[in-house]
Amino acid sequence: MAKQQPLVLLVDDEPDLCMLMQMTLSRMGIKTHMAHHLKQAQHFLGEYHYDACITDFNLPDGNGLELVKYVTQHYPKTPIAVLTAYANMEIAIAALKAGAFDFVSKPINQQHLHQLLQKALHVPVVDESENQLALDERLLIGQSEAICKLRASIRKIARSQAPVFITGESGTGKDVVANLIHQLSNRQEGPFIAINCGAISEELMERELFGHVKGCFPSADEDKLGLIQAADGGSLFLDEISELSMPMQAKLLRAVQEKKIRPLGSDKEIEVDFRIISASHQNIELLVQQGKFRQDLFFRIHVMDLLIAPLRERQQDILILAEHFIEKVCAEWRIEPKQLSTHAQKFLLSQYYAGNVRELRNMIERAITLSDEQSIEIEHLQSHTAQQNIEFNLSSVPTQTPQALAATDAVSLSTSPTAPLSNAKLPEEGLEQYLEKVEKEVLINALNQTHWNRTLAAKKLGMSFRSLRYRLKKFGLDTEDEA
Ligand SMILES: Nc1ncnc2c1ncn2[C@@H]1O[C@H](COP(=O)(O)OP(=O)(O)OP(=O)(O)O)[C@@H](O)[C@H]1O
């Protein structure tokens, strides 16, 4: 609790409901004041310091949203939650967007109220604490205007329980942002469970998310906790959520709506308290219009949104990030810190960064490995490019992950450009083999053009991430294990 006996303002014109909440809260050691209309609530707020406020949506002289806006503006440190009619998601979402900390559905479930108050009274003070600021700047590096604004939004968003949706190209730092939201929230002591929905096969996804009981399928020799349940009390980060199949979207919607899950093969529902943070590099609104993503799920997960700009639009961050990675990698490898030469700095500033910060980090790691001296020169940053171009005679520059390196080794043994067929000629090796060769070349070209960023490569090829992975595996180009 924030202090010995916290004080909470209850705003509702139904005396019975107020009494019921008062009793529940008093059992938690919380003192309450009751206001029955908006004006009275505003008056009390001016007279007392409240640790939290809970308001009904319908008030005789106004509505709860007005009070949310009033509290957010005049008493930003007082978390306020709104009572909504059961399943009225529009109001709940409007309240969260207006700055409410959370909402409670009527009829009030005492356990939910209890959880909500526990969280409300633990909201960390974010804006004045130097430690929190340091955490922001430690985890999310950058001084561009876009990053400074993003950090400010994250600090605000972290305080509420609202679902957050993060958009940004691959490698821009969606995972970093999701983690930061969690670290700055009152769930920081709970788990942060991250899952890449594009990296898990459809069959496995249900078991991974919801868990299963022993014996529900042949290899289920023990109960398995699902990832949603593992996030109980913390945050669940669903990266590439747009990769979820329609049936999985329906199941997830239910879990998000009801805050309950049913493991596979179980007849019991389990309550789970998790905050959902999701991300995609795709335009999810377009997917909704195309009928590829459920609109109701989209509304649920998209209450607050954050956009991360591509690195090429944040020039100011490039060298700051590069120096950060040099310092980090040199410290990890226990070697003397290296310096970027002026030419190397110019080179870094001139790159396109299709793979964003991930690509920059990979370039820096490689350059540190290649440079024997104290300074990092252009040749260390670009040497791999030249080498790759000679080896594969392909057009552009792969930035290598260890997996990609393993994969390119495999390619170098077997790839020679497929000769185009003249009009009437038939492929000597037969159609199947010829098409496979072409397919492999196209895949490698796409990977090279996207610096081995598979998400981006899939996008360029107009296919799903899953489908790309399937093809990469087929040609031995993907050495990563299924998550
Ligand atoms: N602003 C940043 N400060 C520090 N490190 C960053 C920043 N942005 C990204 N990174 C680093 O870059 C790499 C890629 O970031 P991250 O995995 O968060 O990207 P992503 O957008 O989630 O990518 P994907 O969509 O492919 O999963 C990570 O190593 C991460 O730590």
Side-chain angles (χ1 to χ4, degrees):
M1 299 287 149
K3 58 186 176 188
Q4 274 306 307
Q5 193 171 23
L7 181 62
V8 171
L9 178 63
L10 303 174
V11 190
D12 200 314
D13 59 341
E14 286 179 54
D16 289 353
L17 193 73
C18 272
M19 292 290 283
L20 183 73
M21 288 199 286
Q22 195 167 42
M23 276 158 53
T24 309
L25 299 195
S26 103
R27 278 201 291 273
M28 291 171 68
I30 296 170
K31 221 172 126 185
T32 46
H33 286 167
M34 289 193 262
H36 300 299
H37 46 83
L38 184 64
K39 285 271 166 313
Q40 195 182 11
Q42 289 172 338
H43 171 73
F44 279 178
L45 282 159
E47 295 290 307
Y48 301 92
H49 167 76
Y50 292 103
D51 296 296
C53 174
I54 300 178
T55 180
D56 192 15
F57 182 74
N58 293 313
L59 297 172
D61 56 342
N63 69 43
L65 280 194
E66 288 172 59
L67 190 60
V68 169
K69 286 180 190 151
Y70 182 83
V71 169
T72 314
Q73 189 182 350
H74 298 280
Y75 309 99
K77 289 186 200 140
T78 306
I80 174 165
V82 177
L83 297 173
T84 61
Y86 179 71
N88 191 333
M89 271 324 284
E90 274 107 67
I91 291 183
I93 289 174
L96 291 172
K97 282 195 195 279
F101 161 78
D102 206 350
F103 62 90
V104 202
S105 299
K106 286 191 200 172
I108 294 177
N109 169 321
Q110 301 212 354
Q111 196 188 343
H112 286 168
L113 190 62
H114 193 280
Q115 279 173 353
L116 179 128
L117 261 304
Q118 287 247 331
K119 298 244 152 49
L121 299 174
H122 275 99
V123 170
V125 180
V126 176
D127 23 7
E128 290 123 318
S129 152
E130 279 191 8
N131 282 341
Q132 299 284 4
L133 283 176
L135 185 70
D136 284 9
E137 292 182 5
R138 246 185 3 251
L139 292 185
L140 188 68
I141 310 290
Q143 288 307 330
S144 62
E145 202 187 332
I147 286 290
C148 292
K149 281 192 179 155
L150 182 66
R151 271 202 290 264
S153 304
I154 290 171
R155 269 183 242 141
K156 278 195 202 139
I157 281 177
R159 291 169 63 83
S160 96
Q161 300 295 300
V164 187
F165 184 78
I166 310 166
T167 317
E169 287 181 13
S170 190
T172 44
K174 297 187 289 297
D175 207 284
V176 175
V177 167
N179 199 294
L180 185 55
I181 294 172
H182 172 76
Q183 302 269 348
L184 293 177
S185 78
N186 50 14
R187 294 175 172 270
Q188 64 198 180
E189 277 161 25
F192 174 78
I193 304 287
I195 171 167
N196 186 332
C197 303
I200 298 184
S201 70
E202 201 178 331
E203 312 83 73
L204 274 182
M205 184 55 95
E206 185 170 6
R207 296 183 213 168
E208 289 294 327
L209 280 182
F210 297 92
H212 60 72
V213 295
K214 185 178 170 179
C216 81
F217 50 87
S219 58
D221 38 21
E222 52 186 23
D223 288 0
K224 184 175 183 248
L225 191 74
L227 293 169
I228 299 183
Q229 210 181 335
D232 193 28
S235 314
L236 178 73
F237 174 47
L238 295 178
D239 198 2
E240 296 307 344
I241 194 168
S242 49
E243 295 286 334
L244 284 182
S245 66
M246 278 293 185
M248 280 313 299
Q249 290 178 27
K251 289 193 174 121
L252 178 65
L253 175 68
R254 197 158 172 276
V256 176
Q257 236 160 0
E258 313 276 324
K259 293 273 158 98
K260 281 183 195 150
I261 54 132
R262 190 200 298 268
L264 249 83
S266 167
D267 51 8
K268 277 202 228 108
E269 293 215 304
I270 302 166
E271 294 230 359
V272 193
D273 166 35
F274 64 100
R275 180 189 198 178
I276 187 164
I277 306 174
S278 48
S280 177
H281 69 270
Q282 299 208 53
N283 180 342
I284 205 154
E285 286 185 75
L286 190 68
L287 295 180
V288 171
Q289 280 167 25
Q290 293 170 343
K292 292 181 185 157
F293 199 85
R294 290 181 70 113
Q295 191 174 43
D296 41 13
L297 180 60
F298 171 71
F299 284 140
R300 278 297 180 132
I301 59 170
H302 198 269
V303 175
M304 300 290 181
D305 51 13
L306 291 173
L307 174 71
I308 315 182
L311 184 58
R312 60 188 164 278
E313 289 172 17
R314 314 186 243 134
Q315 283 279 311
Q316 217 187 321
D317 293 341
I318 295 174
L319 295 182
I320 298 176
L321 278 161
E323 272 153 23
H324 163 75
F325 291 130
I326 293 176
E327 201 181 309
K328 208 169 152 198
V329 174
C330 291
E332 269 168 28
W333 295 355
R334 292 164 198 260
I335 52 174
E336 283 285 296
K338 295 181 188 269
Q339 309 288 328
L340 286 165
S341 72
T342 315
H343 283 40
Q345 291 183 7
K346 282 191 184 149
F347 176 81
L348 286 178
L349 288 170
S350 71
Q351 297 303 294
Y352 182 76
Y353 298 109
N356 292 290
V357 184
R358 180 181 292 116
E359 181 183 336
L360 173 63
R361 193 201 60 191
N362 290 344
M363 267 171 114
I364 296 293
E365 276 192 17
R366 196 173 59 233
I368 294 175
T369 315
L370 294 176
S371 89
D372 294 325
E373 311 99 45
Q374 276 310 98
S375 90
I376 294 177
E377 303 295 336
I378 296 188
E379 78 225 44
H380 304 132
L381 293 164
Q382 65 175 174
S383 58
H384 203 75
T385 311
Q387 202 184 323
Q388 285 294 319
N389 282 344
I390 296 161
E391 265 184 43
F392 305 128
N393 196 19
L394 289 170
S395 53
S396 64
V397 192
T399 298
Q400 305 287 327
T401 59
Q403 290 80 7
L405 270 172
T408 47
D409 284 346
V411 178
S412 66
L413 297 174
S414 56
T415 307
S416 56
T418 311
L421 294 171
S422 63
N423 279 347
K425 211 178 155 209
L426 299 177
E428 283 166 14
E429 62 271 61
L431 180 63
E432 283 298 317
Q433 273 196 30
Y434 176 78
L435 290 178
E436 284 205 343
K437 256 171 106 179
V438 174
E439 185 183 356
K440 190 171 175 181
E441 270 176 41
V442 171
L443 291 177
I444 293 167
N445 278 334
L447 287 168
N448 280 327
Q449 281 176 25
T450 58
H451 299 220
W452 284 79
N453 178 326
R454 293 171 306 164
T455 313
L456 218 59
K459 197 172 164 195
K460 271 183 175 276
L461 293 170
M463 61 172 65
S464 70
F465 181 82
R466 189 169 288 128
S467 167
L468 178 74
R469 277 206 76 178
Y470 166 78
R471 289 180 157 82
L472 294 181
K473 278 205 180 298
K474 184 170 87 175
F475 294 118
L477 294 172
D478 187 334
T479 55
E480 261 181 53
D481 289 334
E482 290 275 333

